[in-house]
């Protein structure tokens, strides 16, 4: 009963249009998805290729994961690498007491810094230049000061935390890399893929993040990075434990990516010194779905509107590389941190819902009940927003072309849902001007008259519901349209149901 019902674009044999799962590429979205010429080219390449894959098929990751990450600025004492068991368990209790767990936020993700660094080799920023040697069985040594063991030398500090999180109905995630070392200089999985996978399973880990960045001992350009990730996938499959595998392949130009100790014959040039793909088969959105459950393709998010728009816009046109168990991730959300306006955080949460993106919090949960977090509470505890994000088909919404009808600084997004209804969002990216935005319901089933394909017929009513405000807007004739005024850097989220 734990079999993963996954229908990715890569299959065991030649792909045809008829094999593409309706929920991942709903016919109602075809005209929007095909608006990008390069998508047609990509599909042509895929459709003529014989590609054999071995997917990570363990029954998890079929929907966007939800939780909290420890990678927070100014949260841990001293620096971001000083994550501790005590702090993680405090977060677990906060997820429960705030009600966040009840709406689905159940992963507690430990980021970099949990292994032990050799004495004298950690700098003031928390980065390690020489990790503690692995144990005889190749296990990574957990920092006993951050994650105390049950007995001296037991090396079970992470397992203790995992057991406590499980007892609270929560799940635990851990950070590593497809390199010898992580971004912080702690142990990665390169060369230890199978033994580390076994180690994580024995510790009770539910989620593993591999960060394809910072180090230069594996590259997307010569197969070494993808080879490591594939071995991790196979190792996780072999454990029999349902572990969600997340690949962070962002930050494509952050630092060198070529290191050639074995004379691999990789030229050091503009491309090989980065993660910038030269060909389709190097782009993570073409291979990530057959290696892990979720993957990030662009730079790390920071708490600013330009970062939000950059990371969401990069996924436009790649909708059909998403399906249940193969989720694109624009990176963690920053809602609650305070660096953006309430309207900008609405844009963030509504877009993540429309894109079926992972909902990962990155703010101090101790502030959740503060007076200035009222908007945050309204967004995160809204089960109807979560329901759109967690729809079982995992359709990545499409940005609809409406030039000439709506202002160029505004976007209309549409997302079909598994029950036959749709979600749609109005997004105003203009920083200064309020804009009226319109969506067309069409009539008579004519493609040109509707933003919904194939479009409702003339005897159909469109019932529009404002998801953000939790109120009904009204019924509209299928031959008409719906308009709303959206403030600068703000968004509205709606759900529409067509009835005859």
């Amino acid at each position: 009963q734990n079999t993963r019902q996954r229908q990715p674009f890569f299959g065991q044999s030649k792909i045809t249009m008829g094999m593409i799962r309706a929920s991942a590429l709903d016919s109602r979205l075809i005209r929007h998805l095909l608006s990008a010429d390069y998508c047609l080219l990509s599909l042509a390449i895929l459709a003529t290729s014989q590609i054999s894959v071995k997917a990570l098929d363990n029954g998890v990751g079929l929907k966007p994961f939800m939780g909290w990450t420890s990678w927070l600025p100014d949260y841990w004492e001293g620096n971001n690498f000083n994550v501790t068991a005590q702090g993680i368990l405090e977060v677990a209790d906060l997820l429960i007491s705030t009600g966040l767990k009840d709406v689905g936020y159940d992963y507690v993700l430990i980021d970099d810094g949990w292994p032990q660094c050799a004495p004298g080799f950690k700098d003031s920023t928390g980065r390690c230049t020489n990790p503690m040697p692995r144990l005889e069985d190749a296990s990574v040594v957990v920092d006993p000061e951050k994650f105390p063991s049950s007995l001296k030398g037991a090396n079970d500090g992470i397992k203790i935390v995992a057991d406590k999180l499980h007892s609270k109905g929560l799940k635990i995630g851990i950070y590593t890399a497809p390199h010898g070392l992580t971004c912080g200089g702690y142990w990665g999985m390169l060369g230890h893929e199978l033994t580390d996978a076994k180690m994580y399973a024995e510790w009770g880990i539910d989620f593993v993040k591999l960060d394809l960045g910072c180090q230069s001992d594996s590259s997307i350009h010569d197969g070494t990075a993808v080879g490591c990730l594939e071995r991790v996938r196979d190792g996780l499959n072999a454990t029999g434990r349902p572990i969600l595998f997340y690949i962070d392949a962002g930050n494509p130009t952050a630092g060198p990516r070529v290191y050639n100790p074995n004379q691999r014959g990789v030229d050091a040039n503009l491309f090989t010194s980065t993660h910038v793909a030269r060909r389709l088969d190097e782009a993570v959105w073409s291979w990530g779905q057959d290696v892990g459950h979720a993957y990030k393709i662009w730079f790390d998010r920071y708490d600013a509107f330009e970062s939000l728009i950059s990371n969401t816009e990069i996924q436009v046109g790649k909708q059909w590389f998403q399906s249940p168990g193969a989720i694109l991730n624009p990176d963690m959300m920053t809602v609650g941190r305070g660096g953006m306006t309430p309207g900008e955080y609405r844009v963030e949460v509504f877009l993540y819902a429309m894109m079926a993106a992972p909902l990962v919090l990155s703010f101090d949960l101790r502030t959740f009940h503060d007076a200035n977090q009222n908007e945050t509470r309204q967004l995160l505890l809204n089960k109807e927003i979560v329901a759109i994000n967690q729809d079982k088909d995992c359709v990545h919404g499409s940005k609809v072309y409406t030039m000439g009808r709506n202002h160029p600084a505004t976007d209309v997004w549409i997302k079909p849902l598994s029950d036959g209804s749709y979600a749609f969002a109005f997004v105003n990216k203009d920083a200064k001007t309020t804009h009226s935005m319109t969506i067309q319901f069409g009539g008579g089933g004519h493609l040109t008259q509707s933003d919904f394909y194939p479009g409702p017929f003339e005897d159909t009513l469109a019932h529009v519901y404002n998801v953000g405000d939790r109120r009904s807007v009204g019924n509209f004739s299928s031959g008409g349209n719906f308009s709303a005024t959206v403030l600068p850097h703000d968004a509205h989220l709606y759900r529409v149901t067509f009835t005859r």
Side-chain angles (χ1 to χ4, degrees):
Q1 69 276 18
N2 206 29
T3 301
R4 178 178 175 184
Q5 300 299 317
R6 175 178 173 191
Q7 298 289 336
F9 290 89
F10 293 124
Q12 297 292 345
S13 59
K14 183 182 290 186
I15 294 186
T16 66
M17 282 296 292
M19 293 169 59
I20 298 178
R21 187 170 190 242
S23 64
L25 184 62
D26 194 287
S27 63
R28 295 165 287 179
L29 280 175
I30 287 179
R31 80 180 181 98
H32 310 314
L33 297 179
L34 298 188
S35 62
D37 290 341
Y38 72 88
C39 284
L40 285 171
L41 176 60
S42 299
L43 184 60
I45 294 170
L46 294 173
T48 56
S49 300
Q50 294 281 351
I51 305 175
S52 177
V53 302
K54 182 180 179 183
L56 182 57
D57 188 1
N58 58 11
V60 298
L62 298 179
K63 295 180 180 180
F65 56 90
M66 299 172 62
W68 177 93
T69 175
S70 71
W71 194 251
L72 277 71
D74 304 319
Y75 185 79
W76 305 100
E77 184 177 353
N79 54 70
N80 282 12
F81 297 98
N82 283 338
V83 56
T84 66
Q86 179 181 347
I88 291 297
L89 294 175
E90 287 175 354
V91 166
D93 290 337
L94 287 166
L95 285 173
I96 295 169
S97 64
T98 57
L100 289 166
K101 175 182 175 292
D102 291 337
V103 298
Y105 292 90
D106 58 358
Y107 279 97
V108 182
L109 308 177
I110 300 172
D111 213 274
D112 207 358
W114 58 268
Q116 186 175 11
C117 187
F121 287 94
K122 184 164 60 175
D123 65 22
S124 59
T125 69
R127 288 176 168 81
C128 178
T129 56
N130 186 20
M132 184 69 74
R134 288 173 176 258
L135 300 177
E136 290 185 3
D137 65 355
S139 293
V140 177
V141 178
V142 178
D143 191 321
E145 294 185 1
K146 299 175 182 177
F147 294 86
S149 299
S150 58
L151 297 171
K152 185 176 181 180
N155 200 43
D156 59 357
I158 295 291
K159 186 180 186 307
I160 290 172
V161 173
D163 290 343
K164 291 181 178 179
L165 291 180
H166 293 156
S167 72
K168 299 174 185 290
L170 297 168
K171 302 168 187 174
I172 183 172
I174 208 158
Y175 171 99
T176 181
H179 302 285
L181 300 175
T182 66
C183 290
Y186 299 90
W187 280 114
M189 290 185 76
L190 184 63
H192 299 275
E193 296 90 346
L194 301 184
T195 54
D196 280 4
K198 181 175 180 291
M199 174 186 72
Y200 291 137
E202 291 174 348
W203 287 353
I205 298 298
D206 304 297
F207 175 111
V208 175
K209 170 185 174 180
L210 268 77
D211 192 348
L212 184 62
C214 306
Q215 305 299 342
S216 58
D217 52 0
S218 66
S219 168
I220 65 168
H221 303 295
D222 62 359
T224 52
V226 179
C228 173
L229 294 167
E230 289 175 337
R231 291 190 294 275
V232 172
R233 173 200 63 195
D234 296 343
L236 294 175
N237 263 338
T239 68
R241 180 172 178 79
I243 298 175
L244 195 154
F245 182 17
Y246 169 50
I247 301 165
D248 184 343
N251 303 313
T253 60
R257 292 297 184 276
V258 170
Y259 177 56
N260 203 8
N262 300 315
Q263 300 301 308
R264 296 198 305 254
V266 181
D267 294 331
N269 56 43
L270 176 64
F271 287 103
T272 60
S273 63
T274 70
H275 274 321
V276 177
R278 299 169 297 177
R279 306 183 305 269
L280 176 65
D281 63 346
E282 290 182 348
V284 62
W285 38 269
S286 71
W287 53 260
Q289 57 193 308
D290 294 308
V291 179
H293 296 105
Y295 46 98
K296 170 171 160 279
I297 64 175
W298 202 232
F299 292 95
D300 289 351
R301 279 285 318 278
Y302 55 93
D303 194 19
F305 193 69
E306 63 268 21
S307 171
L308 166 64
I309 297 303
S310 175
N311 279 44
T312 51
E313 288 287 333
I314 196 66
Q315 294 186 186
V316 173
K318 301 177 180 65
Q319 298 93 319
W320 47 17
F321 290 94
Q322 176 158 302
S323 63
I327 308 297
L328 287 159
N329 185 16
D331 203 12
M332 61 190 181
M333 298 192 298
T334 61
V335 59
R337 286 192 182 183
M340 295 198 293
T341 67
E344 290 169 338
Y345 283 129
R346 279 190 289 273
V347 174
E348 176 182 60
V349 175
F350 293 169
L351 281 180
Y352 275 56
M354 292 296 294
M355 297 165 70
L359 303 180
V360 178
L361 306 177
S362 63
F363 73 100
D364 187 345
L365 295 183
R366 294 171 296 190
T367 69
F368 190 75
H369 290 295
D370 290 357
N372 63 354
Q373 292 284 30
N374 180 60
E375 293 287 344
T376 301
R377 293 191 296 273
Q378 294 298 317
L379 286 170
L380 298 184
L381 296 179
N382 187 326
K383 294 183 179 181
E384 295 168 271
I385 297 174
V386 173
I388 292 172
N389 173 268
Q390 294 288 298
D391 186 78
K392 67 179 183 179
D393 286 344
C394 292
V395 174
H396 186 301
S398 287
K399 189 167 73 170
V400 183
Y401 180 79
T402 61
M403 191 66 70
R405 189 200 325 150
N406 291 323
H407 190 275
T410 64
D411 293 332
V412 174
W413 288 73
I414 293 179
K415 171 189 174 81
L417 300 171
S418 58
D419 66 354
S421 66
Y422 296 81
F424 68 91
F426 290 159
V427 178
N428 184 2
K429 297 184 293 188
D430 194 320
K432 297 181 179 180
T433 306
T434 296
H435 291 289
S436 177
M437 300 182 64
T438 300
I439 197 165
Q440 288 184 332
F441 299 127
H446 297 299
L447 185 67
T448 56
Q449 295 181 13
S450 175
D451 287 322
F452 301 87
Y453 180 75
F457 290 88
E458 292 178 356
D459 59 348
T460 304
L461 282 179
H463 176 71
V464 178
Y465 180 82
N466 187 315
V467 177
D469 292 344
R470 305 189 200 190
R471 62 180 177 85
S472 175
V473 178
N475 294 319
F476 300 82
S477 67
S478 59
N481 56 51
F482 169 73
S483 298
T485 300
V486 186
L487 296 172
H489 279 197
D490 208 337
H492 295 181
L493 179 63
Y494 301 94
R495 190 163 186 157
V496 57
T497 303
F498 294 107
T499 58
R500 301 188 77 168

